[in-house]
Every structure is written in structure tokens, then in C-alpha cells.
Amino acid sequence: VCSGLIVPIGHLIDCDTPTNTCAIHVHIGGIEDKRRVHNNIIHFLPVLSLFTINSPYRAGSYFGQSYRMRASWAIGPIREDWTYRFQDVILSKRLGTIELRVCDPCWDIERIRWLVRAVEAVAGLDVELEPGVENYNSLRPRICQYGLIPEIRPLADELSEIIDYPTELLEHSPSDELKEVF
């Protein structure tokens, strides 16, 4: 990495700087029932975050799936106030959109397309799902380190009933690929 270039990973391999990160933010707008969409996105958040999870190193040492997701100052566990900016999903006060902030960037455009398709499918649900905030917040540290953990496999299956996505996207992450290359 040299000064001024953008790299498609969440946190630079050779640094330990949680204030120096990169992300994909997905904004969902043009919706009437923002609370329903917000809750449904949170319901599937453990799976949605895995489509592009990509931040395996910190200061040259292997961390796990996403050091950025674990340590970045700009995101975090879901809070009661859905407009609080520094969490994984928010209601953006400025734009009036539901903003998915947790996703790491990656170089694989097909993964990003699948992420957006999945978000669109979840946002289009007519029912309001139980968000499961406490469950997500409790699993979040392990997701950051291990990615697809056994506890979220049923949720991945539930998402596949809404959108038929390639499950190997979750089983072999960009973070895994980067680790193999590095």
C-alpha cells in the first residue's frame, strides 16, 4: 500500500489502526415502513455480513475473518437508538435511508452483487421478522473471528428460502482467499 491508494479490504494488513478502515455501505431508500426493513436487515445481519467479510490481518498477524468489524470505531453492536451512527445498521438521519454499514469491501464484484440482491430481497419482505438484536450482538465477536459459525447456519438456510444464493460465498470468504494469497 502506498499513500493515496484505496485497497478493497477492511483493514490494512500491516497496520493496527482501527480508525483507518474501508467499508461497503448499502443504503436502502424509497421505503415506507423503515422499521420493518431495519428489523428484517438485522434479522439476517449475521449472514449478510459474511458475503464480503474481508479483513483477516492486523499488524502483520492473522486475526480471523474481520478485524475491521471487530475493532473499527465507526461500527459496532446494534443499540436501542437506531439513529446512533456508530453501529452496524442505522437509520441515516441525513438521507432517511436504512444504512447497512457492517460490510467489508472486497475485490469480487459478484459477491457484492449477491450482497445487494440479498439486501433487496430482505428489504422486500412484507412481514416483519424478529430482529434478534441480543442474539446478533452476542454472536458478533465470534462472527468477526470465525465467519460462518454453526449458530448462524439455520439463518443462512432461512435466507436461501428468500433468495437462492450460492452458499459457498459464506463457506469460503474473501478473507479466507486473502489469507491464502498472503
Side-chain angles (χ1 to χ4, degrees), residues 2 38 47 66-67 72 79 101 104 143 145 151 155-156 164:
C2 58
H38 180 262
V47 177
S66 183
Y67 180 68
S72 177
R79 298 185 180 219
R101 300 169 49 82
D104 288 334
I143 293 168
Q145 192 158 17
E151 293 90 336
L155 196 56
D164 186 20

Side-chain angles (χ1 to χ4, degrees), residues 19-41:
T19 58
N20 186 13
T21 63
C22 187
I24 291 177
H25 291 191
V26 179
H27 289 263
I28 308 160
I31 50 177
E32 288 186 32
D33 191 348
K34 292 177 183 168
R35 181 57 79 176
R36 175 183 48 79
V37 172
H38 180 262
N39 286 344
N40 290 353
I41 292 293

